[in-house]
Amino acid sequence: MTLVKWNSNENSNLPAFSNLLENFFGRDLSDFVGRDFTSSVPAVNVVETADAFKVEVAAPGLKKENFQITFHNNVLTIGSKTEHSTEDTKGKYARKEFGYTSFQRSFTVPNTVDTEKIEANYTDGILNVRLPKREESKEKSARQISIS
């Protein structure tokens, strides 16, 4: 659906109503309210190696205390909640802003994972979660079988 420019009085010096709508709706919400209002989900890489699955979450600017990692019914859930506020009082005016940011990602984990040995660390803006495979499910190297 597109807006069609229409102006009932072509000689008017006022902008057409559709131009006002285009100016308002054609912009990102962050142009009006600031970047903190929009939310985004961090990029996630999932890598399988011979002995583990590795989940890497790009989340710069957070602290390890901001994350919640849970494992329940073969579902790994990684989430974060942060709140922040600023207050500026000068002279006869005051400004107070606050924000709330959160995300949550869930992954179904195969039965081959040793759930008791899942580990996580947060370094340089990257949350790394390691899900080691059970010994019996790790890939075995190929072996030569002799013919008798």
Side-chain angles (χ1 to χ4, degrees), residues 71-77 107-113 115 134:
F71 183 82
H72 183 67
N73 290 336
N74 283 3
V75 176
L76 176 74
T77 302
F107 307 90
T108 302
V109 175
N111 291 329
T112 58
V113 170
T115 60
R134 294 183 179 148

Side-chain angles (χ1 to χ4, degrees), residues 28-44:
D28 285 339
L29 184 59
S30 62
D31 290 346
F32 294 102
V33 296
R35 184 175 162 98
D36 289 340
F37 183 77
T38 58
S39 67
S40 62
V41 177
V44 174

Side-chain angles (χ1 to χ4, degrees), residues 20-76:
L20 294 174
L21 289 175
E22 286 175 21
N23 286 340
F24 183 78
F25 290 111
R27 295 169 141 182
D28 285 339
L29 184 59
S30 62
D31 290 346
F32 294 102
V33 296
R35 184 175 162 98
D36 289 340
F37 183 77
T38 58
S39 67
S40 62
V41 177
V44 174
N45 293 327
V46 179
V47 178
E48 180 179 10
T49 64
D51 62 342
F53 292 93
K54 296 176 183 177
V55 179
E56 302 167 331
V57 180
L62 296 178
K63 299 176 185 169
K64 69 179 185 177
E65 297 83 27
N66 297 131
F67 293 100
Q68 300 86 37
I69 303 173
T70 60
F71 183 82
H72 183 67
N73 290 336
N74 283 3
V75 176
L76 176 74

Side-chain angles (χ1 to χ4, degrees), residues 4-143:
V4 178
K5 185 175 182 177
W6 179 76
N7 189 351
S8 63
N9 184 0
E10 291 297 325
N11 296 325
S12 172
N13 289 332
L14 296 173
F17 181 67
S18 64
N19 284 346
L20 294 174
L21 289 175
E22 286 175 21
N23 286 340
F24 183 78
F25 290 111
R27 295 169 141 182
D28 285 339
L29 184 59
S30 62
D31 290 346
F32 294 102
V33 296
R35 184 175 162 98
D36 289 340
F37 183 77
T38 58
S39 67
S40 62
V41 177
V44 174
N45 293 327
V46 179
V47 178
E48 180 179 10
T49 64
D51 62 342
F53 292 93
K54 296 176 183 177
V55 179
E56 302 167 331
V57 180
L62 296 178
K63 299 176 185 169
K64 69 179 185 177
E65 297 83 27
N66 297 131
F67 293 100
Q68 300 86 37
I69 303 173
T70 60
F71 183 82
H72 183 67
N73 290 336
N74 283 3
V75 176
L76 176 74
T77 302
I78 300 170
S80 173
K81 294 180 184 178
T82 58
E83 296 180 39
H84 58 278
S85 65
T86 59
E87 188 169 346
D88 187 12
T89 308
K90 292 182 181 175
K92 294 184 179 182
Y93 72 91
R95 178 181 66 104
K96 183 173 184 178
E97 295 182 11
F98 63 94
Y100 176 80
T101 307
S102 69
F103 76 87
Q104 183 172 317
R105 297 288 304 263
S106 295
F107 307 90
T108 302
V109 175
N111 291 329
T112 58
V113 170
D114 188 347
T115 60
E116 298 300 316
K117 295 183 179 176
I118 297 174
E119 322 175 302
N121 66 58
Y122 181 66
T123 307
D124 297 331
I126 306 291
L127 175 68
N128 292 290
V129 182
R130 186 174 183 280
L131 300 104
K133 294 180 180 178
R134 294 183 179 148
E135 275 306 313
E136 63 271 11
S137 64
K138 290 182 182 177
E139 271 187 42
K140 309 287 190 258
S141 58
R143 64 180 180 96

